[in-house]
Amino acid sequence: MRAARLIRMVLLLQSRPSMTAAELARELEVSERTVARDVLSLSEAGVPVYADRGRAGGYRLIGGYRTRLTGLGRSEAEALFLSGVPAALRDMGLADAASAARLKVSAALLPELRDAADGAAQRFHLDAPAWYQEPATPELLPAVADAVWDDRRIATRYRRKDTEVERELEPYGLVLKAGVWYLAARVGEDVRVYRIDRFTAVTPLAERFTRGADFDLPAFWAERSAQFARSILRDEVTVRLTPSGARRLRYVTDRAGADEALAAAGEPDEQGRLTVTLPVESLDVAYSQLLGLGPDGEVLAPVALRERFAAAAARTYDLYREP
C-alpha cells in the first residue's frame, strides 16, 4: 500500500509544477505528516523531490525527472482523455484503475499538453441514462466485468419472466445502452445478449476461453439493435400525412420504421399528402404516438384505430369549442 502511494506521489508531482503538502495529503488521502515522511523516503531512494519553504512553498521534482510521450499532439491527447466514461468505469469497479492510468499519462505528457484532461472534460460529457429514469447499477456487474476482462467462463442464473435458467457463458463484451447494462456472451455456437440486471448469480469458473478473432462488439451490437427494433414492430397502420406530418413522423414513432415507411411511399396527392404503411409495435402504441401529429396525420386503417382517433378528435373538439 505504501509503495503504491509513493508511486502515485511521484506521478502527481510529474503532472504539476508543484504541490503543497495539503494538496498532496488531499489527493493521497493521508495526513500532511505522512506526506513529509513519504517525501523523505523518496529523497533517500534517489527521487529528486525538492521542498520550497515558506507560505507559498510546496514540493516539486527537479532535474527533469519525468518521462514524456513526445509523439502525442494536443488533439490526440484530448481524444485519449475522452476515452473513459467515468460513471461506467465506476459501475464496473474500474474507477481507481482508470484514474491511475489517466494520471500516468498526464504525468508523461509534455508540460504544454498537461491541460488536455481538463480541456476534454470541459468540452464533452456523456450522460448515458435516458430522461426520467433513475439509473441503478446491477449488483453483479463488477463480477461480470471481471470475467469479461479476464476472458473467463462464468456459470450464471438468469431470470426469464417467472423462471430462472442456468447457463455457462463466455462473456465477450459489455454494452451500456440508455442506462441499462447488457452482456454479449457466447453460448455454444451463438452469441446472445443478456441484461445484467436479470442475473441472479454469477460464478467465475476455472477455465478461460478464446474469443473469436473476428468478433466485433460495436458491429455485433449495431446489428442486434436493428434486429430488435424491427422485431417489436408487429403491426401496421396506414396513415395519410401532410408535408409537416411526414417531416415529424420519425420524431413521434420508431425512427427506423418511419424511415422505412416514408421510403416506400408513393407520390404525394394533389394536396401534397403522402399515404404510408407504418410498422408499429401495437395499435395501442400507435395511438399514443400518432396523437402527437395532430391534424398532420390521418389514420386510414385499420378501421378500429381510425374510429378511436375520430372519437378522440370529437372529445377534443367538445373540450375546446366555445360555449
Side-chain angles (χ1 to χ4, degrees):
M1 178 67 75
R2 185 166 184 263
R5 188 174 71 244
L6 292 174
I7 293 172
R8 183 171 170 80
M9 178 181 286
V10 172
L11 292 171
L12 283 167
L13 292 173
Q14 280 188 203
S15 67
R16 306 176 194 182
S18 68
M19 295 184 70
T20 66
E23 290 171 335
L24 284 168
R26 184 168 56 252
E27 289 281 355
L28 299 171
E29 299 181 349
V30 295
S31 67
E32 292 186 33
R33 181 172 296 180
T34 299
V35 168
R37 286 198 298 266
D38 287 350
V39 167
L40 181 60
S41 297
L42 287 173
S43 296
E44 291 173 348
V47 178
V49 183
Y50 180 79
D52 289 316
R53 306 296 179 185
R55 198 168 187 180
Y59 296 102
R60 59 187 174 88
L61 292 172
I62 60 175
Y65 190 89
R66 58 179 52 86
T67 58
R68 294 178 175 178
L69 295 180
T70 54
L72 284 180
R74 171 164 296 278
S75 62
E76 294 169 323
E78 290 175 342
L80 179 63
F81 284 105
L82 281 178
S83 63
V85 183
L89 292 169
R90 184 180 62 247
D91 290 349
M92 291 188 289
L94 297 175
D96 290 343
S99 176
R102 285 193 297 270
L103 183 59
K104 289 178 181 178
V105 172
S106 181
L109 288 172
L110 288 168
E112 60 268 25
L113 298 180
R114 296 225 179 103
D115 64 343
D118 292 336
Q122 293 304 319
R123 288 166 173 79
F124 180 82
H125 173 68
L126 176 63
D127 184 9
W131 286 104
Y132 315 119
Q133 292 184 7
E134 187 66 28
T137 303
E139 182 180 352
L140 295 174
L141 175 60
V144 176
D146 284 345
V148 169
W149 286 112
D150 204 26
D151 288 346
R152 186 175 297 277
R153 290 174 57 84
I154 52 176
T156 68
R157 286 205 309 273
Y158 188 78
R159 188 172 62 253
R160 180 176 294 168
K161 295 184 179 178
D162 296 328
T163 63
E164 286 189 358
V165 296
E166 295 185 357
R167 293 281 188 274
E168 287 193 8
L169 306 176
E170 295 179 357
Y172 268 38
L174 291 165
V175 176
L176 177 60
K177 169 72 171 178
V180 180
W181 283 95
Y182 297 89
L183 172 68
R186 184 174 293 279
V187 187
E189 298 300 318
D190 299 325
V191 178
R192 303 177 186 175
V193 175
Y194 299 86
R195 277 185 60 144
I196 301 292
D197 58 6
R198 292 180 183 168
F199 285 115
T200 58
V202 174
T203 304
L205 301 177
E207 67 267 27
R208 289 183 169 86
F209 64 91
T210 301
R211 60 180 58 233
D214 59 345
F215 180 77
D216 183 327
L217 181 60
F220 167 81
W221 181 257
E223 180 184 351
R224 288 301 173 91
S225 297
Q227 289 177 359
F228 174 77
R230 192 64 186 85
S231 70
I232 64 174
L233 304 179
R234 301 185 179 92
D235 275 315
E236 289 183 343
V237 298
T238 304
V239 189
R240 186 155 52 210
L241 303 166
T242 66
S244 174
R247 290 192 298 270
R248 293 165 50 206
L249 183 64
R250 67 197 311 261
Y251 299 105
V252 300
T253 66
D254 175 81
R255 184 163 295 189
D259 289 343
E260 177 184 317
L262 291 170
E267 293 297 319
D269 63 16
E270 62 277 4
Q271 294 178 307
R273 298 178 301 177
L274 281 178
T275 298
V276 301
T277 301
L278 179 69
V280 295
E281 183 176 345
S282 69
L283 297 185
D284 285 339
V285 170
Y287 174 75
S288 63
Q289 291 176 336
L290 294 175
L291 276 176
L293 292 178
D296 289 318
E298 177 191 359
V299 173
L300 302 178
V303 174
L305 184 61
R306 178 179 174 86
E307 291 175 347
R308 192 173 175 182
F309 271 90
R315 291 197 305 272
T316 303
Y317 174 76
D318 289 341
L319 184 65
Y320 284 99
R321 68 178 176 176
E322 293 182 6

